[in-house]
Amino acid sequence: MPDDTTAGLRLDAVRIRLGGQELLSVDRLVRPGETLTVMGPSGSGKSTLLAYIGGFLDPAFSGEGRVICGGRDIAHLPAQERHAGILFQDPLLFPHMSVGGNLVFAIPRAVAGSAARRKRAEAALADVGLEGFFDRDPDTLSGGQKARVALARVLLAEPNFLLLDEPFSKLDMQLRDQIRGLVFERAKRSRLPVILVTHDAADAAAAGGDVIEVG
Amino acid sequence: MLRFAPLLAIAVLALPVIAGLAGTLAPAFGYLPALGGSEISLEPFRIVLGQPGLLRSCLIALASGVVTAAISTALVALFVGGWSETRTFRLIQSLVSPLLAVPHAAAAFGLAFMIAPSGFLARLVSPWATGWTRPPDWLIVNDSLGLSLMAGLIVKEVPFLLLITLAALPQVPLAASNRLAGSLGYGRVAGFLFTTWPAIYRQIRLAVSAVIAFASSAVDVAVILGPTTPASLPVRLVQWMNDPELTARFMASAGAVLQLGVTLAALLIWFGLEKLCAMATMRLCERGPRFRADAGIRMVALLAMATTAIAIFGGLGLLALWSVSGLWQFPHVLPASLSLRGWQQTLPGIGDPLTTTVTVGLAATVLSALIVVASLAREQETGRSGGNRALLFIYLPLLVPQAGFVFGLKLFLVHGGVGANWAALVFVHLVFVLPYVFLSLSAPWRAFDRRYEAIAAGLGKGRGTTFLAIRLPMLSRAILAAMAVGFAVSVGQYLPTVLIGAGRLVTITTEAVALGAGGNRRIIGIYAFLQMLLPFLGFALAALVPALLFRNRRAMKIA
Amino acid sequence: MKTVLAALAAFALSTTLATAAEVNPADWDAVLKDAKGETVYWNAWGGSQNINAYIGWVGEELQQRFGVKLVHVKLDDTANAVATVVTEKAAGKDTGGTIDLIWINGENFASMKRQGLLYEPGWATQLPNWRYVDAETKPTVTTDFTIPTDGMESPWGMAKLVFFYDSARTDASGLPDSADELLAWAKQQPGRFSYPQPPDFIGSTFLKQVLSEKIADPAKLLEPVKPDEFAGLTKPLFDYLDQLHPYLWRSAKAFPKDYPSMSQLLADGELDITFAFNPAEASSAIANDLLPDKVRSFTFSGGTLSNTHFVAIPYNAAAKAGALVTANFLLSPEAQARKQDPGIWGDPTVLAMDRLSDKDRARFEKLDLGIATLKPDELGPTLPEPHPSWMAMIEEEWAARYGVAN
């Protein structure tokens, strides 16, 4: 089936090194809507793996191996052409923009006209249960609300895959389940391959899918 | 383009220093064909060493460097150790920080008006407490040992070192160390000095060296507060440079080399002191005393810190009052009458110096900001910060005494046919502005959370868009603050402006020092007021613009 | 390409022609024409605000009347301007120099004249307003510190050493009338007298005043100093200073910077007797709220030093025509009368009253010389300035003896 080779995200003999020393190596295919969970202690290089895939590897590290998405190797493309949706521990909403500004910033150029872009952003806000938050200052939102805006922002950019770097670790228990459910549900709905980095076994369980241990 | 930014920065910093040093060294050894010196000789040094009172001039310069650095550093260490993470600390911090913007000359004038026998402090207690109806004949300002000179330098260097220390603080686990040392039974100050200070000191060491270099070679402060019989070496150096006899130029160059030696000696003494202090601390630490009763030393540190701020602010307030006073005789605390005559006489002539000050300052600041931002962007791209060597380059113009190379630089410019023009002045200011802009901006720039950029790239945004839409606005406060620091540095430049401007391009600062010689306190008040007004406007603007731009963004207020 | 070259050649030619066409002070109309649009950089001591304000007024008038822009380059020491010209000459900058006019006299003039740094001889006496100058009763307008001016500097104002005291504090009857009496007075009032630190020129003037009074043969001072005689001839001066210094303000460990600083100290009550090179200084300072209105003047009945101060044009000045127009305007009865007004500056004129028109003479006659200014007949005799070589050697000796703390 063509699905096997072109759909999803394939990590082909990906290795991460720091000063000549290999931190980890991965060789996997993540199918659309599926999640690959990478578990390991701090310093194991699991976040660095995401940086390599996303194209923002710190110059101190080196990486090699192909990252195949939609049938082509994106490992040598500049970060902005890889269309990686990234969620970190912190929501990292741009503090100088409004909530709506954060979302509009993410909408692809193809959606033209400010009215149309605003409409799209408002719909995305409604979709995560935050109607009417468009003009709010992101810093005035609660932790859960920020996490939802961050998710909405990532999805609006129409990414090819999601990179999750312990995105739930700073949320309290109750909120964590809720946001975790929301993220995986949306990822499935959009048929996005997901790579999740975590040290929380509950994250891995909720994600379903394969788990690899590093470090 | 970006690739050449660090090279450009290094060129801007190092070339003038190296060219200037060459222009100083050659005539010092008798070689300057344009003035008829074609043979290498030690004659210039022989003449300099034969100057009366030379040893004393050198010793004053040397002592100014070491003593100023020692007291300023100790004060900052004790204050940070004794008061960090308290409300008092934040209060004093916000009080002391603006002092960085006050040009040295203005601060020196303000201090002189406070402490002179006919100054404000004596007036406050006269005649009711002292019985003085006339000022006592006490040698305070211009004292032979240079104590008021050192005081004037200390009140200006303490804010500088405090700010550098504050920038270094986030990189050490201050709170955790404090708690740990506390739990082991150490007093606050001792705990801080034993655990955290060594790490901080390593980071501010170059800044302390810059303080030594500056203090041992300061001209403007020494002219105002320093001894006159004899004056400290840098002041005499300027006098020799201005001697109408051609041959004096060789001797002055030799004097400039001597100045370099004095500054170097001050640095070497300092490095020795560092070793001694480190050893003493280690010994002390091994013996394990806890120094729990440190309330006294904490109070002293706090009082000294507050005095610094009060001395300058009080002095500047007095200057402002003098600028509008009528006759104001001892022992009156306030002037008998107010008069705008001084301002009326001064304002018509203020246009040119004001324009030069502002345009040169803005140009040097904007250029510096561009070069610094480009260098930092390049560093971020390559992941190479250049480490200590790059830092040394940045500190180079601050470490080499101005008097040691600006004269040589002027020689180069004059013989290169470059007269006193605006561009040359901007270039020379750039040499001194750029390091401060870099030092102010590099910490927040490097502390920027790069995950924001990763997210933006993931959203499909290119480097340019990310830079313009994310990093620049998020760092706007830091960039503008760094530019305000740079502008303040430019406004305060005395020696380079006097030499390169050659009297044709005058700034508020050169006017202030020239007129300050005339002793008319009203005029000094006016110029010193303008001198501090400009940097304050810069800082106000730097605070106001982001505040207005991001008035509804809470998170932008803290950063 | 050819046209470009031709244009360049024409341009080069025109610039050489422009610099080649020297101004001729005898052809005043041409001078005025050349001066229009020029910027004159006038290097003048800038330590006194009322003088700066006066120079500012001169600038406005020049702009309005002759289209000359005047820029006051404020110096703290005239030697700096001499140094600039020296540097330019050494660098081969024989045209287009950065200084067009210098406020000058004494050793600085002597030094520039000796080194060939001045604009041609005779320009000063060709100025149209030279006809008003009093060269008969004021010989110092053509002999500057014993050096003939040869028309290489144009007189601007007269100076005479005058002392001041605050009559509210100090009894006029006990005032000294000679250097010796001043020493006695200082011993009685320790810490209440001082003089600006040489090489400040008022400070050096005080030294020359004492030397002129104490030297056995004053005629020696009018000749260049002979190094082998110097120690013997100046012994009375330095003996005097050795006695005086312990009783000076701050015990001579520090000195005032210049005469305005001394005025400030008089106002503060730190000093009781000060002096300046301008008889109207006290009146002017009172008018400017710098001194209390009880300050009065006195001189020595045996005479005090007197001289003339000038403006000179460097040989490489870029705006010679503008500088000539400026020098001439400074000699105009209008500018001279304004300068003599204590409310403005109070600097005595170099003009001869009997050479002025009635209208111009009236400008001077209506001046109120001020409450603290002595009348011309009260100013006492004048002592001539010594040859400039004395000043340099005295300053050097002073620095070696007293410029190094102990």
Side-chain angles (χ1 to χ4, degrees):
Chain A
M1 283 193 32
D3 226 348
D4 280 354
T5 51
T6 59
L9 182 68
R10 173 178 281 283
L11 306 181
D12 182 16
V14 169
R15 284 166 215 279
I16 306 292
R17 286 198 178 85
L18 174 61
Q21 191 196 345
E22 186 174 301
L23 292 179
L24 59 83
S25 68
V26 185
D27 197 278
R28 288 287 172 125
L29 171 69
V30 189
R31 290 179 191 284
E34 282 184 5
T35 299
L36 170 70
T37 304
V38 183
M39 292 194 68
S42 325
S44 60
K46 57 189 193 304
S47 294
T48 317
L49 174 67
L50 294 194
Y52 178 69
I53 301 168
F56 48 95
L57 192 64
D58 187 284
F61 295 89
S62 61
E64 60 175 57
R66 298 194 301 164
V67 177
I68 297 162
C69 179
R72 62 183 191 138
D73 182 9
I74 62 168
H76 299 289
L77 293 179
Q80 71 265 25
E81 287 169 35
R82 302 188 189 194
H83 297 284
I86 309 161
L87 288 177
F88 290 105
Q89 278 178 8
D90 305 287
L92 298 178
L93 301 180
F94 302 127
H96 58 295
M97 301 177 178
S98 66
V99 167
N102 268 275
L103 298 183
V104 169
F105 183 71
I107 298 170
R109 194 85 52 84
V111 181
S114 57
R117 293 170 72 82
R118 181 174 176 126
K119 218 171 142 197
R120 175 79 70 98
E122 277 173 340
L125 276 175
D127 191 41
V128 292
L130 294 173
E131 292 98 335
F133 274 62
F134 191 91
D135 289 317
R136 288 279 293 270
D137 174 7
D139 200 52
T140 61
L141 268 51
S142 72
Q145 289 169 333
K146 284 181 189 166
R148 286 159 194 262
V149 175
L151 175 63
R153 181 174 66 177
V154 154
L155 295 176
L156 268 179
E158 298 166 10
N160 292 337
F161 51 92
L162 285 188
L163 302 174
L164 309 182
D165 191 353
E166 306 197 35
F168 319 117
S169 60
K170 283 198 178 163
L171 298 169
D172 61 50
M173 268 310 184
Q174 199 183 351
L175 212 50
R176 187 181 301 182
D177 287 339
Q178 198 187 38
I179 299 294
R180 188 156 53 198
L182 187 67
V183 168
F184 290 126
E185 186 255 318
R186 291 301 145 89
K188 279 215 169 60
R189 196 210 278 176
S190 311
R191 291 188 49 76
L192 291 172
V194 179
I195 299 184
L196 169 69
V197 157
T198 184
H199 55 250
D200 182 352
D203 283 352
D210 291 351
V211 176
I212 51 175
E213 303 261 357
V214 296
Chain B
M1 265 311 281
L2 220 49
R3 176 181 316 175
F4 300 110
L7 262 180
L8 181 64
I10 285 174
V12 163
L13 295 170
L15 281 185
V17 179
I18 291 166
L21 282 177
T24 301
L25 276 172
F29 289 97
Y31 185 79
L32 187 60
L35 295 188
S38 52
E39 270 170 47
I40 305 291
S41 89
L42 289 176
E43 183 66 8
F45 283 97
R46 206 189 54 74
I47 299 175
V48 161
L49 296 178
Q51 292 297 307
L54 186 80
L55 181 65
R56 197 184 174 97
S57 295
C58 291
L59 286 179
I60 291 165
L62 186 75
S64 309
V66 176
V67 173
T68 300
I71 295 184
S72 310
T73 311
L75 202 54
V76 168
L78 291 178
F79 177 68
V80 175
W83 297 92
S84 60
E85 298 181 285
T86 64
R87 276 180 58 187
T88 316
F89 187 81
R90 278 188 292 278
L91 181 77
I92 293 281
Q93 179 191 338
S94 55
L95 210 60
V96 171
S97 304
L99 296 183
L100 195 63
V102 180
H104 282 87
F109 281 128
L111 190 68
F113 285 7
M114 290 286 268
I115 62 174
S118 59
F120 189 70
L121 293 180
R123 288 166 190 244
L124 267 186
V125 293
S126 298
W128 57 272
T130 57
W132 296 332
T133 50
R134 305 180 56 180
D137 185 15
W138 292 353
L139 183 59
I140 299 178
V141 174
N142 306 124
D143 66 288
S144 324
L145 291 176
L147 298 181
S148 31
L149 163 62
M150 290 173 209
L153 289 165
I154 288 168
V155 293
K156 266 299 290 171
E157 297 310 328
V158 161
F160 171 65
L161 284 182
L162 182 67
L163 290 191
I164 296 279
T165 304
L166 289 177
L169 275 185
Q171 288 155 59
V172 294
L174 177 70
S177 300
N178 275 355
R179 274 194 295 277
L180 181 71
S183 71
L184 293 174
Y186 283 94
R188 258 193 85 102
V189 176
F192 170 80
L193 291 181
F194 287 155
T195 59
T196 315
W197 178 249
I200 294 178
Y201 184 74
R202 264 195 293 282
Q203 294 189 53
I204 67 165
R205 195 161 174 242
L206 271 174
V208 175
S209 305
V211 167
I212 295 173
F214 179 84
S216 64
S217 65
V219 175
D220 46 1
V221 184
V223 164
I224 297 160
L225 292 173
T228 58
T229 54
S232 79
L233 183 61
V235 175
R236 297 184 75 180
L237 203 53
V238 176
Q239 288 166 357
W240 296 334
M241 277 290 166
N242 288 327
D243 195 307
E245 291 302 321
L246 271 177
T247 44
R249 226 50 71 79
F250 293 99
M251 164 187 135
S253 296
V257 174
L258 189 63
Q259 173 69 59
L260 289 173
V262 166
T263 298
L264 189 67
L267 285 170
L268 290 178
I269 292 175
W270 182 257
F271 296 149
L273 284 177
E274 276 178 354
K275 286 234 161 61
L276 272 178
C277 282
M279 251 155 55
T281 314
M282 203 112 94
R283 280 283 157 76
L284 214 57
C285 207
E286 280 165 3
R287 293 219 318 265
R290 292 321 199 228
F291 299 105
R292 308 207 40 179
D294 59 3
I297 194 110
R298 286 183 67 201
M299 254 357 257
V300 169
L302 179 64
L303 280 178
M305 216 59 171
T307 306
T308 308
I310 292 167
I312 298 190
F313 280 127
L316 292 177
L318 281 178
L319 285 172
L321 189 56
W322 265 108
S323 79
V324 292
S325 75
L327 190 63
W328 186 4
Q329 286 190 280
F330 191 86
H332 302 301
V333 174
L334 292 172
S337 62
L338 295 181
S339 149
L340 287 176
R341 184 195 293 267
W343 282 96
Q344 285 163 349
Q345 282 186 340
T346 308
L347 281 181
I350 209 89
D352 277 351
L354 202 61
T355 313
T356 309
T357 311
V358 172
T359 56
V360 169
L362 281 181
T365 305
V366 169
L367 280 175
S368 298
L370 287 176
I371 296 176
V372 166
V373 164
S375 301
L376 287 169
R378 174 67 183 167
E379 161 193 311
Q380 163 198 345
E381 218 168 72
T382 58
R384 282 196 310 250
S385 74
N388 280 334
R389 201 175 310 158
L391 207 56
L392 202 61
F393 269 113
I394 284 154
Y395 269 100
L396 194 60
L398 310 185
L399 287 176
V400 180
Q402 286 191 345
F405 72 94
V406 179
F407 286 118
L409 189 61
K410 181 189 165 76
L411 221 56
F412 256 89
L413 291 177
V414 169
H415 289 282
V418 181
N421 66 45
W422 187 85
L425 194 57
V426 169
F427 175 69
V428 175
H429 275 215
L430 189 61
V431 177
F432 300 100
V433 169
L434 199 144
Y436 283 99
V437 173
F438 187 91
L439 292 174
S440 310
L441 187 55
S442 57
W445 185 277
R446 288 169 183 156
F448 184 82
D449 192 338
R450 299 197 55 189
R451 295 178 303 171
Y452 282 108
E453 289 172 327
I455 287 178
L459 298 177
K461 306 298 176 186
R463 282 217 314 252
T465 311
T466 306
F467 185 78
L468 291 177
I470 306 297
R471 193 182 265 265
L472 271 194
M474 283 181 70
L475 285 175
S476 56
R477 183 177 290 269
I479 293 172
L480 287 170
M483 288 175 73
V485 170
F487 184 69
V489 168
S490 169
V491 170
Q493 287 302 314
Y494 172 66
L495 192 59
T497 316
V498 165
L499 289 174
I500 305 300
R504 286 197 158 200
L505 288 166
V506 292
T507 63
I508 298 295
T509 294
T510 58
E511 290 281 276
V513 177
L515 292 170
N520 182 339
R521 292 186 179 157
R522 235 175 286 157
I523 304 308
I524 295 173
I526 290 168
Y527 276 94
F529 180 77
L530 291 170
Q531 242 200 322
M532 66 175 176
L533 184 69
L534 288 176
F536 273 124
L537 282 180
F539 278 98
L541 215 62
L544 213 63
V545 167
L548 277 178
L549 232 46
F550 307 118
R551 59 188 170 283
N552 295 325
R553 302 286 172 259
R554 210 170 58 182
M556 290 298 290
K557 296 204 170 86
I558 316 151
Chain C
M1 194 61 202
K2 260 185 193 157
T3 50
V4 175
L5 280 179
L8 274 177
F11 177 73
L13 206 62
S14 67
T15 49
T16 42
L17 279 178
T19 50
E22 274 292 345
V23 287
N24 177 10
D27 184 358
W28 195 248
D29 287 336
V31 170
L32 285 177
K33 203 163 140 250
D34 283 353
K36 208 174 177 102
E38 281 190 334
T39 300
V40 173
Y41 288 93
W42 182 9
N43 287 37
W45 182 71
S48 177
Q49 189 57 26
N50 52 351
I51 301 177
N52 294 347
Y54 175 76
I55 292 177
W57 171 81
V58 171
E60 284 166 29
E61 297 301 312
L62 284 173
Q63 181 69 62
Q64 226 167 55
R65 299 182 191 193
F66 308 105
V68 171
K69 183 174 165 38
L70 185 69
V71 178
H72 178 188
V73 177
K74 298 187 185 73
L75 304 176
D76 54 1
D77 187 346
T78 303
N80 297 5
V82 183
T84 303
V85 182
V86 167
T87 310
E88 286 176 356
K89 183 167 191 185
K93 200 172 170 72
D94 291 331
T95 54
T98 55
I99 301 177
D100 300 306
L101 199 63
I102 306 180
W103 181 14
I104 198 167
N105 75 356
E107 60 172 353
N108 288 315
F109 171 73
S111 160
M112 288 191 83
K113 190 181 175 195
R114 191 176 62 242
Q115 298 186 60
L117 300 175
L118 290 171
Y119 178 49
E120 64 182 31
W123 66 262
T125 49
Q126 292 179 58
L127 293 177
N129 286 336
W130 175 262
R131 64 192 149 158
Y132 302 126
V133 172
D134 180 4
E136 284 85 44
T137 70
K138 300 187 174 84
T140 51
V141 299
T142 48
T143 310
D144 184 3
F145 285 41
T146 73
I147 307 285
T149 64
D150 293 340
M152 295 166 93
E153 56 179 351
S154 170
W156 187 24
M158 296 297 293
K160 187 173 195 318
L161 189 64
V162 176
F163 296 87
F164 309 107
Y165 68 104
D166 186 345
S167 63
R169 271 202 315 265
T170 309
D171 184 12
S173 62
L175 293 172
D177 191 39
S178 66
D180 283 327
E181 285 188 34
L182 179 63
L183 175 60
W185 182 92
K187 285 180 176 173
Q188 280 167 12
Q189 332 274 336
R192 298 301 179 194
F193 177 74
S194 190
Y195 56 92
Q197 180 168 352
D200 173 83
F201 89 113
I202 303 290
S204 302
T205 298
F206 174 75
L207 302 184
K208 287 184 291 182
Q209 170 72 31
V210 174
L211 181 61
S212 300
E213 288 189 41
K214 304 288 292 182
I215 194 168
D217 178 10
K220 288 270 185 198
L221 293 177
L222 302 181
E223 302 156 14
V225 59
K226 298 188 185 73
D228 54 331
E229 285 181 8
F230 179 78
L233 290 176
T234 55
K235 188 168 184 300
L237 166 66
F238 290 106
D239 286 349
Y240 178 94
L241 293 178
D242 285 341
Q243 286 187 61
L244 177 67
H245 275 196
Y247 302 100
L248 286 186
W249 179 77
R250 306 288 188 255
S251 309
K253 284 191 161 59
F255 292 84
K257 288 203 167 70
D258 48 19
Y259 78 81
S261 311
M262 283 206 300
S263 289
Q264 181 72 55
L265 292 168
L266 181 64
D268 284 344
E270 297 217 24
L271 296 180
D272 277 344
I273 291 181
T274 66
F275 52 91
F277 228 173
N278 173 2
E281 177 60 26
S283 296
S284 173
I286 291 170
N288 283 290
D289 279 341
L290 296 171
L291 284 177
D293 57 9
K294 291 284 190 291
V295 169
R296 296 293 180 269
S297 313
F298 68 97
T299 61
F300 293 164
S301 56
T304 55
L305 286 181
S306 171
N307 69 31
T308 301
H309 49 96
F310 301 80
V311 291
I313 303 173
Y315 82 105
N316 65 348
K320 288 202 180 82
L324 288 170
V325 170
T326 306
N328 190 54
F329 178 71
L330 292 176
L331 279 180
S332 68
E334 184 187 357
Q336 286 277 315
R338 187 179 171 90
K339 184 164 64 71
Q340 193 162 349
D341 181 350
I344 308 287
W345 176 358
D347 191 52
T349 184
V350 294
L351 304 186
M353 287 305 121
D354 56 2
R355 293 184 170 210
L356 301 183
S357 68
D358 292 347
K359 189 174 140 240
D360 283 334
R361 199 176 314 121
R363 290 179 194 274
F364 288 90
E365 280 163 356
K366 73 170 191 227
L367 285 181
D368 174 7
L369 292 186
I371 190 164
T373 311
L374 297 171
K375 307 230 156 32
D377 56 337
E378 298 169 325
L379 278 172
T382 61
L383 298 179
E385 283 279 356
H387 186 273
S389 55
W390 286 90
M391 183 126 146
M393 279 197 80
I394 291 172
E395 283 170 357
E396 209 169 293
E397 181 64 20
W398 189 95
R401 285 170 177 255
Y402 311 113
V404 289
N406 16 54

